[in-house]
């Protein structure tokens, strides 16, 4: 066929000389780009950043000096570290350190107890987890002085309910103060015994012949659980009394009688405070249940859950104290 005899026309190859050199293109782009000179940084932004850091440090100092500020800061910082430490457990190289860290924070209920030296020197715990343990021990040490305000609270309640105070709420407060006082006393004794301040003979006397502190810690955490549970009893009673007041006030409005001004704002304040206290108590409850168990605690409990619960429970107090430093 004639079309088979026709010669196929090939496209003409481009001339290499017409193609721009790569080095020339790069040089042109470099010449057109603005130069990055550190001297071009806006001094105003730099001074603003330094001033912001300075203000933050001063506010932090004011927070630590305020009543309860150091405790609130250490608590928030500690539970944040627990969350970060849990995130690090996802690394395969350190997947087993979470159990050891929990064993250090909560003394085991058997004959073995991991020491801080073993935990920190075996190379499996990252620095952030070691810092979490250190802050936890610092908080426990500072709680040695926690008996004094608890004693003052218990003593003020022992004189009986004040005028206008609900008797049921007073009894709940007495039960809660007694529970927290017992918890703090047992924890202090256990800590002093572990530190060598109190001898094993005294612990054996309290602990039915057992010179170890594991059982005392368990009893202490159960007292703490009792104190946390009292918050729910208090909230139930407060809601019951408030509901009665609101029903009475609604009936007064229906009858055309005058009620106190700004009552809606007071109702909103009560609701906000009530729900805040409920969230705080609900956050502490799982942790108290876990530590007060002699059979291993809650299934699936880990550093992440502990950090989240503690952070939720303490964030409200920390936010209020931080806002007061502005």
């Amino acid at each position: 066929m004639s079309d088979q005899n026709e010669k196929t026309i090939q496209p003409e190859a481009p001339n290499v000389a017409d193609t721009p050199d790569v080095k020339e293109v790069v040089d042109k782009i470099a010449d057109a780009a603005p130069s990055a000179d550190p001297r071009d940084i806006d001094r105003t932004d730099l001074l603003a950043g330094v001033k912001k850091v300075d203000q933050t440090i001063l506010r932090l100092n004011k927070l630590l000096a305020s009543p309860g500020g150091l405790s609130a800061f250490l608590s928030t910082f500690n539970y944040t570290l627990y969350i970060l430490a849990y995130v690090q457990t996802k690394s395969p190289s350190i997947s087993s350190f979470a159990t050891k860290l929990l064993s250090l924070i909560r003394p085991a209920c058997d004959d073995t107890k991991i020491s801080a030296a073993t935990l920190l020197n075996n190379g499996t715990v990252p620095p952030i987890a070691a810092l979490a343990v250190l802050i936890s021990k610092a908080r426990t040490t500072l709680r040695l002085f926690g008996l004094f305000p608890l004693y003052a609270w218990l003593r003020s309640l022992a004189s009986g309910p004040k005028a206008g105070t609900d008797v049921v709420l007073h009894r709940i407060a007495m039960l809660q103060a007694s529970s927290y006082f017992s918890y703090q006393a047992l924890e202090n004794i256990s800590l002093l015994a572990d530190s060598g301040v109190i001898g094993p003979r005294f612990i054996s006397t309290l602990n039915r012949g057992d010179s170890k502190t594991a059982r005392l810690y368990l009893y202490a955490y159960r007292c703490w659980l009792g104190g946390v549970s009292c918050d729910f009893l208090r909230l139930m009673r407060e809601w019951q009394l408030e509901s009665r007041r609101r029903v009475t006030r609604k009936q007064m409005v229906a009858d055309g009688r005058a009620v106190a001004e700004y009552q809606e704002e007071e109702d909103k304040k009560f609701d906000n405070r009530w729900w805040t206290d409920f969230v705080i108590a609900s956050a502490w409850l799982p942790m108290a249940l876990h530590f007060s168990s002699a059979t291993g605690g809650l299934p699936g409990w880990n550093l992440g859950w502990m950090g989240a619960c503690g952070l939720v429970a303490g964030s409200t107090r920390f936010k209020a104290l931080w806002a007061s430093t502005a």
Side-chain angles (χ1 to χ4, degrees), residues 260-317:
E261 297 181 357
Y262 309 110
Q263 195 60 52
E264 293 184 359
E265 295 182 3
E266 294 297 326
D267 291 346
K268 290 181 180 179
K269 290 180 180 179
F270 174 86
D271 293 342
N272 291 334
R273 181 187 61 80
W274 193 93
W275 281 108
T276 299
D277 290 349
F278 179 78
V279 170
I280 292 174
S282 300
W284 285 130
L285 183 61
M287 193 183 305
L289 286 172
H290 175 77
F291 287 147
S292 61
S293 174
T295 58
L298 299 180
W301 185 261
N302 52 49
L303 289 176
W305 284 115
M306 184 167 67
C309 290
L311 201 59
V312 169
S315 60
T316 302
R317 182 187 178 194

Side-chain angles (χ1 to χ4, degrees), residues 84-98 124 126:
L84 297 177
Y86 172 73
V87 172
Q88 287 191 330
T89 62
K90 298 304 180 180
S91 173
S93 60
I94 52 176
S95 59
S96 64
F97 98 98
T124 61

Side-chain angles (χ1 to χ4, degrees), residues 35 41 107 195 293:
S35 59
I41 299 177
S195 302
S293 174

Side-chain angles (χ1 to χ4, degrees), residues 83-195:
I83 295 176
L84 297 177
Y86 172 73
V87 172
Q88 287 191 330
T89 62
K90 298 304 180 180
S91 173
S93 60
I94 52 176
S95 59
S96 64
F97 98 98
T99 303
K100 298 179 181 179
L101 185 57
L102 279 174
S103 300
L104 178 63
I105 297 169
R106 175 187 183 274
C109 296
D110 52 16
D111 294 335
T112 61
K113 181 179 177 182
I114 301 176
S115 65
T118 302
L119 182 65
L120 300 180
N121 294 334
N122 60 8
T124 61
V125 179
I128 191 171
L131 181 59
V133 174
L134 180 63
I135 298 298
S136 177
K137 286 184 171 295
R139 293 175 58 219
T140 305
T141 303
L142 289 174
R143 284 201 299 269
L144 285 172
F145 305 96
L147 278 179
F148 297 109
L150 289 173
Y151 171 79
W153 181 26
L154 193 58
R155 188 176 182 277
S156 65
L157 293 172
S159 59
K162 298 180 180 179
T165 303
D166 182 67
V167 177
V168 177
L169 286 177
H170 180 266
R171 292 175 180 174
I172 294 174
M174 278 288 297
L175 179 60
Q176 187 175 43
S178 302
S179 299
Y180 282 147
F181 186 88
S182 301
Y183 155 71
Q184 196 58 67
L186 290 173
E187 186 188 60
N188 287 358
I189 293 173
S190 301
L191 177 62
L192 293 175
D194 290 340
S195 302

